[in-house]
Amino acid sequence: HAEDAGWTGYPGGTVAAGAVAGAVGAVVGSPAYLVKTHLQAQTLSDMAVGHQHNHESISGAFKSIYQQHGVVGLWRGVTGAVPRVAVGSAVQLATFASAKDWVCERQWFRKGSWAAVLAGGMVSGVAVAVTMTPFDVISTRLYNQPVDADGTGKLYRGFLDCILQISSKEGLLGLYKGIGAVYLRLGPHTVLSLFFWDKLRNM
């Protein structure tokens, strides 16, 4: 819609459109991401690492969180998810368009070819992994921390407190924990989603 309205033609228009789309997606998907994080961290008591929420199923997790903390509890951690996905989406779309144009200007690939689209997606995947990993770490910590009866986090008070604690206790590299795994997940995802998005849009 931003492209049809001509907003992406302005400086920073693609970045802003990507950020808004990402932020909306993060808010809508936050409850599902919360439950996913709880379930993935959950394991047997003799090998458990980190806080355990002990949900029995997906539906049980939603029900348990709602009963304990109400509707607001389902969106706990969203303050970490919104900047995470907003930054990721903004970087993804902006670098994809720029990289695709760049390889065509250098005449490495023909404009509109599938190779140019894949090259743009590959560059974008690296950029997304580098910029998104710190937000990914923060988001995961906020979603999976234990909470008080009123839903307040026991480890981190919020987004900024989480950044400060990780930076001071684990150093700046602490914000890049798991970047290899992040790229292995986001690289193919970025390449394929942008490839199909570009081709379907042209159709």
Side-chain angles (χ1 to χ4, degrees), residues 94-113:
T95 56
F96 172 67
S98 300
K100 190 174 65 168
D101 291 343
W102 188 74
V103 297
C104 292
E105 285 169 8
R106 300 275 176 302
Q107 296 184 341
W108 293 349
F109 302 111
R110 181 175 51 79
K111 189 175 179 66
S113 68

